[in-house]
Amino acid sequence: MNDKLFETLSGMYFTVDDEDGGYSVGQVIRPAIDGAYLVRFEGNEVTLPLEIVTIGEMLQTTEDDYKLWRFFDTLEERDKWTEWLDTPSKPRVISLVRPTK
């Protein structure tokens, strides 16, 4: 694999969708081996140890072809995304009754 291409994810922030409908967040730290990176997931109160994640895992999709991993250049971009995810949508009322004249 091209070394420059292999380095492109280093330092990026990410979200990854969980099976339970939630998501996890973290940062890609650096390449581990060809085709895999060391990543750090963020815990609530403690710093979690580094984990090795392959490119194949990062490219996984759901049955409906939605990407599980999303990458962001900055922490601010990721925080903006997670804020949007956590904001409840506003219900819209649509009248199914036709107005009478």
Side-chain angles (χ1 to χ4, degrees):
M1 181 178 272
N2 182 327
D3 286 341
K4 188 173 182 180
L5 178 64
F6 195 55
E7 284 288 334
T8 57
L9 291 176
S10 293
M12 294 193 80
Y13 297 90
F14 65 84
T15 64
V16 60
D17 294 342
D18 298 328
E19 291 178 8
D20 65 0
Y23 62 89
S24 299
V25 297
Q27 184 177 20
V28 178
I29 303 301
R30 65 180 178 84
I33 57 173
D34 194 25
Y37 284 88
L38 288 170
V39 300
R40 175 169 283 133
F41 287 92
E42 296 175 12
N44 291 335
E45 298 179 11
V46 296
T47 301
L48 300 174
L50 297 176
E51 294 186 28
I52 295 178
V53 179
T54 66
I55 297 292
E57 290 174 283
M58 293 178 181
L59 294 175
Q60 286 180 335
T61 60
T62 65
E63 291 176 5
D64 299 325
D65 289 331
Y66 292 107
K67 294 179 182 178
L68 296 176
W69 289 70
R70 290 176 184 80
F71 296 94
F72 305 89
D73 290 325
T74 66
L75 186 57
E76 290 78 21
E77 289 174 354
R78 188 191 71 191
D79 288 348
K80 192 174 182 179
W81 174 257
T82 57
E83 182 180 327
W84 177 80
L85 284 177
D86 294 339
T87 302
S89 61
K90 295 179 184 176
R92 296 183 345 184
V93 177
I94 300 173
S95 177
L96 298 177
V97 178
R98 291 185 183 169
T100 58
K101 293 183 182 184

